[in-house]
């Protein structure tokens, strides 16, 4: 593969640098792999293009539209993944490393696409929480909503995951409805650039939704506003510098950071060498040291084990490290590739030298080139250090060698282990290997506040566990303190970084119209046919049905008890029920009330209602005694189209007694034909 000349995607077209291009070396040979630069670009115009073209186009789409777009992007990447694997190998990544980056990135898009369709409305405004009553009579209410920021998201990504690192930020950003400008790290930008080409060629992104800078961001920061977001992955020093930019400060630009992380793993005090958790622990440490040649922000850097087990752990880890084969990923049998560059190799070697002032190397030689590797490449053996006095070794808790390097340390007891974990001053992830819940409770209580994620691994979950170092779309990726203080992904929580939460106040009628969800107190539509006779597209929100009433007798209660087997004393024993502080005597079953309610509002003939698939927010608010009469008011609350054949309708159901008091309240879910 010859020298790749990378381009920027700006204002809807591909453009190369007009000045200041630089060459990026191959991790395998040191020879130039790509040339890139952003000289001559108008960065202010990029921001304007995103805000005025990309933003309006994305905001005109619903969450479901954007979710379908993400799915199409993921499918496009998967269809051309081999092109990305070929480029990934140039970064020093093995096929396994590339799988995490490329297919893991596509998987993140798929996951957000699925969540968007299943958990978000087919709408452009996202309701955040329940309606807040603000007045006695209910004519004045509040509703929190989330709406997309009307700026641009600037994504500044690290070199280690050129595909996934971009896509895990893009997924929640685009789903939220915000355009993005992506700035990858130069050393692996050729993978990112090709991935962007694949997505653009899929033809599903609105113009202006995605732009790419391969090179410096120039004066882009000076064009940012309070409607914009920076999402940064990299060193804490760089994050601090960027956060201090005058425009970021004066405009209060949102800043999400994921930074250095001295991630820890702990072998539980209950685990002995003959326990399954011991082998799982050793295997995970070695995997975390060698996947991506240790160039992972989530990799294990500090290994804490009971003092009595440290020799056994060292022996087991070094035995597995001895089987690691370092070299060109294209060669069969190679299990660990190169670091991303000679510069990175030099940095890791320097950091190991610092660590070696407080710890001794017990496996590997950081300064020797592994056998059968190109001496101009960035290859390095895994290095395991051991520090027997972790309380007298500040460097092992604040120096990150961003490569296949970890330090083994003893702890005296769990209190000691917890305190040592916290000396990392905030990490993305820590893991605990134990089979004793009491150990897990103590460690989590003492460490959770210092970590974005905590994995508790044991024999029960090991087979399906994704491991210590695998961020997942549904979980937060980020961490406090040294780790940057930011969060990415976290399922739909990730969208909130790119949306504004606003408290709306007004009448139920007005807020119902804004949120496309009927609120009690808003107008009800009672004219016309039974609501179950109306197709999805014909059904208006607020369409209401008031049922006839039905008196519940003692015979009904006893028959229901006999038929279902629910003979709980509150329904069958007058004296015992009367002694209960919640009941005046024998009362109707809650599920009898629901069953009778369904009989009161259902329209039995075949029609647009295809299925009743559940109910939410059920509450039994007042007992129903023999002789009470119940009636139901059923109102269409919201609609969400699923496909061209059917959509989901959510109904507000209120069951009242003869005095108009609410005895039960819930939300009914049906599938209705279009």
């Amino acid at each position: 593969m010859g020298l790749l000349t990378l381009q920027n995607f700006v204002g809807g077209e591909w453009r190369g640098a007009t000045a200041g291009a630089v060459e990026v070396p191959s991790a395998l040979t040191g020879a130039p792999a790509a040339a890139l630069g952003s000289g001559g670009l108008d960065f202010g115009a990029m921001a304007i293009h995103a805000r005025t073209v990309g933003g309006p186009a994305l905001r005109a789409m619903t969450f479901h539209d954007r979710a379908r777009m993400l799915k199409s992007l993921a499918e496009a990447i998967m269809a051309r993944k081999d092109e990305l694997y070929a480029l990934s190998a140039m970064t020093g990544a093995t096929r396994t490393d590339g799988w995490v980056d490329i297919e893991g990135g596509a998987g993140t898009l798929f996951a957000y696409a699925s969540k968007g369709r299943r958990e978000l409305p087919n709408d452009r405004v996202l309701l955040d929480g329940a309606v807040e009553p603000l007045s006695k009579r209910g004519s004045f209410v509040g509703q929190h909503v989330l709406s997309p920021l009307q700026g641009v998201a600037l994504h500044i990504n690290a070199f280690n995951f050129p595909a996934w690192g971009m896509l895990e930020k893009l997924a929640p950003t685009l789903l939220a409805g915000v355009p993005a400008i992506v700035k990858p790290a130069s050393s692996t930008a050729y993978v990112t650039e090709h991935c962007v080409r694949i997505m653009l060629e899929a033809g599903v992104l609105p113009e202006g939704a995605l732009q790419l800078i391969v090179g410096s961001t120039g004066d882009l920061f000076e064009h940012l506003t309070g409607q914009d977001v920076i999402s940064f992955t990299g060193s804490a020093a760089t994050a601090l510098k960027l956060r201090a930019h005058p425009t970021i400060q004066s405009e209060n630009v949102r800043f999400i950071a994921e930074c250095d992380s001295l991630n820890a793993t702990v072998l539980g005090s209950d685990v002995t060498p003959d326990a399954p958790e011991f082998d799982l622990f050793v295997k995970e440490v070695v995997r975390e040291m060698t996947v991506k040649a240790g160039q992972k922000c989530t990799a294990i850097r500090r290994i804490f084990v009971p003092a009595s087990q440290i020799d056994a752990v060292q022996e087991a880890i070094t035995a597995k490290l001895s089987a690691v084969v370092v070299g060109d990923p294209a060669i069969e049998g190679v299990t660990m590739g190169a670091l991303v560059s000679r510069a990175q190799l030099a940095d890791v070697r320097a950091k190991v030298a610092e660590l070696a002032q407080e710890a001794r190397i017990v496996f590997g030689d950081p300064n020797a080139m592994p056998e059968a590797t190109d001496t101009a490449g960035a290859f390095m053996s895994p290095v395991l250090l051991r520090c027997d006095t972790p309380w007298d070794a500040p460097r092992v808790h604040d120096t990150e060698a961003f490569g296949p390097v970890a330090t083994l340390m003893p702890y005296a007891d769990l209190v000691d282990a917890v305190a040592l974990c916290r000396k990392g001053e905030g990490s993305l992830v820590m893991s605990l290997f134990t089979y004793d819940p009491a150990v897990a409770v103590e460690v989590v209580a003492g460490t959770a506040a210092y970590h974005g994620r905590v994995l508790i691994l044991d024999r029960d979950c090991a087979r399906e566990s994704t491991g210590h170092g695998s961020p997942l779309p549904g979980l937060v990726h980020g961490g406090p303190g040294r780790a940057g203080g930011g969060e990415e992904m976290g399922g739909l929580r990730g969208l909130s970084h790119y949306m504004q939460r606003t408290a709306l106040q007004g009448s139920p009628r007005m807020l119902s119209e804004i949120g496309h969800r009927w609120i009690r107190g808003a107008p009800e539509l009672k004219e016309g046919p039974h609501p179950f006779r109306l197709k999805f597209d014909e059904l208006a929100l607020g369409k209401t049905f008031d049922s006839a009433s039905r008196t519940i007798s003692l015979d009904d209660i006893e028959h229901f008890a006999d038929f279902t087997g629910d003979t709980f004393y509150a329904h069958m024993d007058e004296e015992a029920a009367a002694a209960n502080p919640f009941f005046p005597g024998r009362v109707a079953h809650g599920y009898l009330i629901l069953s009778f309610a369904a009989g009161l509002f259902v329209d039995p003939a075949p029609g647009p209602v295809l299925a009743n698939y559940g109910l939410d927010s059920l509450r039994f608010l007042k007992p129903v005694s023999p002789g009470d009469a119940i009636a139901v008011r059923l109102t269409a609350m919201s609609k969400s189209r699923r496909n061209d054949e059917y959509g989901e309708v959510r109904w507000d159901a209120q069951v009242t007694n003869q005095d108009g008091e609410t005895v039960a309240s819930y939300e009914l879910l049906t599938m209705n034909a279009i």
Side-chain angles (χ1 to χ4, degrees):
M1 189 177 292
L3 182 70
L4 301 171
T5 302
L6 306 188
Q7 292 184 303
N8 306 274
F9 189 71
V10 179
E13 62 181 22
W14 288 99
R15 294 175 53 186
T18 59
V22 297
E23 291 184 343
V24 174
S26 164
L28 306 178
T29 66
L36 56 83
S38 58
L41 298 185
D42 185 338
F43 297 101
M46 290 183 72
I48 292 172
H49 184 70
R51 295 189 194 107
T52 60
V53 179
L58 285 170
R59 293 193 298 273
M61 302 166 71
T62 68
F63 289 107
H64 285 198
D65 294 333
R66 296 178 210 137
R68 283 188 283 266
M69 177 182 70
L70 293 184
K71 182 179 179 180
S72 296
L73 296 177
E75 290 172 340
I77 291 170
M78 290 300 292
R80 298 173 62 180
K81 64 183 180 181
D82 287 341
E83 299 170 23
L84 295 171
Y85 274 116
L87 293 169
S88 178
M90 295 166 55
T91 72
T94 65
R95 182 80 181 189
T96 299
D97 298 336
W99 181 88
V100 174
D101 187 31
I102 298 161
E103 299 190 44
T108 299
L109 292 178
F110 277 127
Y112 269 93
S114 177
K115 279 188 167 291
R117 290 298 306 278
R118 289 185 292 106
E119 301 177 35
L120 294 177
N122 191 21
D123 205 341
R124 295 182 296 169
V125 174
L126 181 59
L127 303 183
D128 182 33
V131 173
E132 296 286 344
L134 302 176
S135 64
K136 288 184 178 180
R137 296 181 180 179
S139 65
F140 186 54
V141 296
Q143 173 72 70
H144 288 92
V145 299
L146 291 168
S147 56
L149 292 173
Q150 298 196 12
V152 60
L154 172 58
H155 294 169
I156 303 174
N157 298 325
F159 68 79
N160 51 339
F161 288 101
W164 177 85
M166 169 179 62
L167 299 175
E168 62 106 5
K169 291 183 175 71
L170 271 180
T173 303
L174 294 177
L175 186 56
V178 176
I181 297 174
V182 173
K183 193 279 182 216
S186 296
S187 55
T188 54
Y190 45 89
V191 178
T192 307
E193 191 241 33
H194 195 69
C195 191
V196 169
R197 287 184 182 274
I198 290 172
M199 290 191 289
L200 291 171
E201 290 168 11
V204 296
L205 282 167
E207 183 178 344
L210 177 60
Q211 297 179 84
L212 174 70
I213 299 172
V214 288
S216 166
T217 55
D219 65 350
L220 179 56
F221 272 47
E222 296 171 19
H223 299 280
L224 298 180
T225 73
Q227 286 290 312
D228 302 318
V229 184
I230 296 173
S231 184
F232 169 82
T233 300
S235 72
T238 302
L240 184 63
K241 179 180 177 181
L242 297 180
R243 273 193 170 115
H245 190 283
T247 302
I248 306 306
Q249 299 292 314
S250 63
E251 297 290 331
N252 287 318
V253 179
R254 297 189 187 191
F255 195 100
I256 308 161
E258 187 257 282
C259 303
D260 306 342
S261 185
L262 277 296
N263 308 299
T265 188
V266 176
L267 183 66
S269 55
D270 60 304
V271 179
T272 55
D274 59 345
E277 287 70 28
F278 187 92
D279 292 335
L280 292 170
F281 177 81
V282 171
K283 179 181 178 181
E284 193 68 9
V285 167
V286 173
R287 180 167 72 167
E288 286 298 304
M289 289 180 67
T290 56
V291 170
K292 291 289 288 187
Q295 299 169 113
K296 295 199 312 177
C297 55
T298 54
I300 292 170
R301 305 298 179 195
R302 300 178 300 147
I303 309 164
F304 297 114
V305 302
S308 61
Q309 304 290 353
I310 191 166
D311 292 333
V313 171
Q314 178 183 321
E315 181 180 353
I317 292 175
T318 55
K320 282 194 173 293
L321 289 175
S322 298
V324 173
V325 178
V326 181
D328 185 335
I331 298 174
E332 186 175 353
V334 166
T335 55
M336 190 180 95
L339 278 75
V340 73
S341 66
R342 294 285 297 186
Q344 182 64 19
L345 175 63
D347 181 74
V348 173
R349 285 173 170 171
K351 295 293 175 56
V352 171
E354 290 183 41
L355 293 170
Q357 296 179 44
E358 299 175 345
R360 68 183 191 277
I361 296 174
V362 294
F363 181 88
D365 183 347
N367 298 310
M369 188 63 64
E371 295 182 7
T373 58
D374 192 319
T375 56
F379 299 97
M380 175 182 173
S381 164
V383 173
L384 178 68
L385 298 101
R386 173 169 168 171
C387 175
D388 290 306
T389 56
W391 284 105
D392 299 322
R395 288 184 178 87
V396 299
H397 303 293
D398 65 16
T399 301
E400 183 181 23
F402 202 71
V405 181
T407 303
L408 176 64
M409 291 171 274
Y411 68 81
D413 52 29
L414 286 182
V415 173
D416 192 40
V418 165
L420 287 169
C421 286
R422 294 198 301 231
K423 281 186 69 64
E425 297 180 357
S427 300
L428 299 173
V429 56
M430 71 158 286
S431 53
L432 169 66
F433 291 72
T434 180
Y435 201 59
D436 185 345
V439 171
V441 168
E442 183 170 350
V443 172
V444 169
T447 61
Y450 289 77
H451 301 88
R453 180 164 54 89
V454 177
L455 166 69
I456 302 109
L457 201 89
D458 62 17
R459 67 196 75 171
D460 294 341
C461 66
R463 182 179 293 274
E464 294 187 309
S465 168
T466 52
H468 168 102
S470 299
L472 297 171
L475 300 180
V476 164
H477 177 52
R482 186 197 303 277
E487 294 180 357
E488 295 172 357
M489 298 194 297
L492 297 183
R493 298 174 186 84
L495 274 66
S496 63
H497 302 306
Y498 306 97
M499 306 186 82
Q500 176 62 46
R501 180 180 290 105
T502 304
L504 303 182
Q505 296 171 278
S507 69
R509 179 181 71 89
M510 194 64 71
L511 297 195
S512 292
E513 288 293 327
I514 294 172
H516 297 154
R517 183 182 177 107
W518 180 85
I519 297 171
R520 290 180 186 176
E524 299 169 351
L525 308 175
K526 298 183 180 181
E527 301 296 326
H530 190 291
F532 282 12
R533 294 290 99 202
L534 299 172
K535 293 184 177 181
F536 181 88
D537 290 335
E538 298 170 337
L539 182 65
L541 298 186
K543 177 64 176 175
T544 299
F545 174 75
D546 284 314
S547 79
S549 64
R550 174 170 180 171
T551 300
I552 297 177
S553 68
L554 188 59
D555 286 344
D556 291 329
I557 295 171
E558 292 181 342
H559 175 73
F560 191 86
D562 180 63
F563 189 70
T564 63
D566 181 357
T567 56
F568 185 63
Y569 73 87
H571 314 304
M572 304 303 291
D573 186 328
E574 181 70 30
E575 183 178 351
N580 186 306
F582 297 110
F583 306 124
R586 294 174 68 178
V587 296
H589 305 68
Y591 296 110
L592 181 151
I593 296 170
L594 291 183
S595 299
F596 281 14
L600 289 169
F601 65 66
V602 73
D603 187 327
V609 176
L610 303 176
N612 167 358
Y613 79 103
L615 53 83
D616 289 339
S617 306
L618 171 63
R619 293 292 184 271
F620 297 113
L621 303 172
K622 186 177 179 61
V624 173
S625 301
D628 286 350
I630 64 168
V632 186
R633 171 167 290 184
L634 189 72
T635 306
M637 290 181 66
S638 65
K639 303 193 302 181
S640 181
R641 191 183 183 108
R642 291 294 186 90
N643 54 38
D644 293 335
E645 296 181 0
Y646 60 85
E648 173 194 304
V649 179
R650 184 176 291 266
W651 306 83
D652 176 74
Q654 294 184 72
V655 185
T656 56
N657 63 17
Q658 67 278 1
D659 298 321
E661 299 168 317
T662 302
V663 299
S665 176
Y666 56 98
E667 296 176 6
L668 174 71
L669 305 173
T670 64
M671 287 297 185
N672 289 39
I674 298 300

